Amino acid sequence: MYKTLKELTDYADKLNMTVGAFNMHNLEMLPEMIRAAKETGLPIVIQTSVDTAKYIGYDVIVAVCKQLAANNPVDVALHLDHARDFKAIQDAIAAGYSSVMFDGSNLPFKENIAKTKAVVDYAHARGVSVEGELGTIGGTEEGISVSEDDKEYTRPSDAIKFVAETGVDALAVGIGTNHGQFKSKTNVKVPLLQKIHESVEVPLVIHGGTGVKEEDYAELINNGIRKFNVGTELLVNWTQTAKGYFEATEVNKSLRHNIIPCNEKVKEIVKHKLLLFMNADSPLNRGNSHG
């Protein structure tokens, strides 16, 4: 079924797990992502950047996502990731996205609150969930670079005020992760996450999930992470697979023979991550036969 982000994080919170949120970089990836969720029996968030949404078409993505959600026994939310332009958010909501993120992390604290609240008011009136961001995530997101010197960690006291004044449904936190990190893994600041989790009741979100060690997942989930973003790992593996197949192919061979293996690689990764996101400490996972 087609769901909002809030519906999925409410489900995750009851079972002490996290919902996997995966960035699609082209329309080809989408069916295999949904199939991975179907095979695990777990909900999924499909994410697009603003640029990807414009490239494919907001309405096209919504139509395909809704059709796949209707035809498969799986709960799916469609989320606009890292939007900084209110017009892009309006376009996504008008097309039928069930969730949006307003990223005001580059703004002064009070301006971030004011603009996030405006998005929340607009989206909630239309039945759409909103994710906000407080603190900054390192690395590069859609061409915008954040250096280590510019990175700001989320302060628990700020999180209390931000959540109370904006009414966001989920909060992305800066605890040491980096967008685009795939050649190494980061050391997340779990004690800081614990303090944030103790300070606010809203579901917390990890960005830059590709750079997080899998052995850290359970501790992050146990401290309030209810949405876990993965994008770079999908992009890198799709592209690496494509390079191998396209280099070896005849120029007149059907494209699907080269692209299907790329999509299957995405499915493999999504399925693997979803099962880990179920969390060993979740009642859903106790006695589960999946590895």
Side-chain angles (χ1 to χ4, degrees), residues 44 56 126 149 162 175 201 209 225 239:
I44 188 170
I56 299 171
R126 292 158 178 80
D149 291 339
F162 185 87
I175 57 169
E201 294 184 0
I225 296 299
T239 304

Side-chain angles (χ1 to χ4, degrees), residues 11 15 17 41-43 278-279 281-288:
Y11 173 82
L15 294 170
M17 56 175 283
L42 295 167
M278 195 187 299
N279 189 13
D281 292 333
S282 168
L284 192 64
N285 203 28
R286 290 170 194 153
N288 195 294

